[in-house]
Amino acid sequence: MARRSKNGYEWGSPFIYLVAAILISACLTPVIFIIVGAFRTNSELTTDPAGWPSQWQFSNYTNVLSTSLFWQQAGNSLIVALWTTLGVVLIGLMAAYVVARYQFRGRGALYALYASGLMFPLTVAITPLYLLIRSLKLVDTLPGVIIPQIAFGLPMTIIILVPFLRAIPKEIEEAAAIDGCSRLDFFWRIALRLSVPGLVTTGILAFVGSWNGYMLPLFVLNNPSLYTLPLGTQAFSSEHSVDTAAVLAFTSLSMLPALAFFSLFERRIVGGLTGAVKG
Amino acid sequence: MSWRERGEIALMSAPALILFLGFVIFPVITAAYYGFFKWKGYGPPIDFVWFENYRIILTDPAFLDTLRHNAFILVFSLVMQGPLAILVALLLNKKMRGRSIVRVLIFVPYVISEVIVGIGWSLMLQSGGALDETLRNMGLDWLIRDWLADPSIAIWTLMIIITWKYLGFAVIIMLAGLQGIPEELAEAAAVDGASYWQTQWRITLPLLGPTIRIWAFLSIIGSLQLFDLVYIIWGQYISSTAGTSTMATYMALTGRLSGNYGYGNAVAVVIFFISLTVALIYQRFVLRRDTEGALTGGN
């Protein structure tokens, strides 16, 4: 019996590596197809679409990198994603702090209101939202994308942050109060620091969500020089539909920043969600 | 409660409340209002048509098709992704060399934008594309299909792409849930002679229940709102002939893109009510026991 239980945990080690290998190749094949495909010539891509480059062409990449439109659109994406992240995290933290640490009538209702936001996804609101943005004269401006993105990012942020803030022991707050620390001081000096894992998680989710956002920019932005990268990639791909290699190069380059950002912070995402999902 | 505290509550809640009410709640309410008009989006809506838009929507075969597609996507998202994600998460929760690299790599599809996923997959799947070529090289010519345009295949193609894209998110959530389960429980079961799979089935899975139910909730809502992937891969018009159109692509096509804002808003309201009904039923019967407070209100 004892041996069997020990084997229970060692079981199938090679099998696990095999499954992991299959999984990884399933996940990466399309990505590799995009990146490697861009090193090929168009004629190669037509005659032998699944092959490896016979000669590595860097020109597809350098051509995209030398266009100002790509850099402009990458810059737009960065501006939109950074402001969205900052807004979502800061405003969400303040709102979550009130729900988590103040006792007042209507607190439950307030939380329910934010949580109900999960049921009002962008898809449903997009048409009236566009009309609202139009009447605020924000069509074809980056704030026209940023502000709604912050608003729609709030519910998830608040839901993730509340358990973090609630988990801070009352004693710390009392001790701080005795030392002459007001509620707001406590917020800035202690709560902010203790909820860093949650802030990082929500920040990453907001950043990646905004970086990849498609529907809202599609409705709000018409001017190609204001496009974010997803729109730019889409426009490039329909304009250059014959030039597959160039499309692949543009596509590869637009996915690199999100990939780099994510691999840096992957561990934090799992860590930060743990508190929220348990709740 | 002191006035000072009241002031703090108001001050800290104000930005979130203003943004949330203004840009999330208000548009949904105005959608309900505009939905009663035959309105092209310019000038004030004056052509009040009662429930005419809704009558047209609910009797339009094209909309009923999208409803069927959304239902299909919803069911198969749960069935295809859920068990797979749990298995992968269990696998990645075990001690193995290179575990963190594997974790990062399987999240790659989730991080890539829908536009990139759409462009990459449609290039691979187009007739004579990389997939067909690979099948031909392997001598599997008979398997070759019109992956994107054949109405009996296309929705399955979409399901594969959805699974590929969103599995990583499901795995992240499951992994987070697994970390909350004390290891001692599995160890105790092992001491009592339970096999690995017995332990997973009897102990880990039930304890993972709340996580699974929250993931399923997000997946259901996501399935009902699906827009980007279909719109990017199948475009504005082809999705209906390929059998992949969704309620949201129907809304975009009949609403803003045709300039019929009144109608588009009515479609939004229909999507909202369907989502809300499904979400409330789900909460009432499934989520209630673990998220007291998180989604149902109160604490």
Side-chain angles (χ1 to χ4, degrees), chain B residues 183-239:
Chain B
E183 257 177 60
E184 297 81 51
L185 287 176
E187 281 163 15
V191 170
D192 289 344
S195 75
Y196 175 76
W197 289 114
Q198 276 175 328
T199 312
Q200 303 311 320
W201 185 251
R202 299 267 173 82
I203 293 172
T204 312
L205 212 55
L207 287 174
L208 200 56
T211 310
I212 297 172
R213 289 190 282 271
I214 288 178
W215 165 77
F217 179 72
L218 295 175
S219 173
I220 288 170
I221 294 290
S223 302
L224 292 171
Q225 313 285 339
L226 186 72
F227 173 78
D228 302 18
L229 274 177
V230 175
Y231 188 79
I232 293 157
I233 299 177
W234 281 274
Q236 297 175 22
Y237 299 97
I238 303 147
S239 57

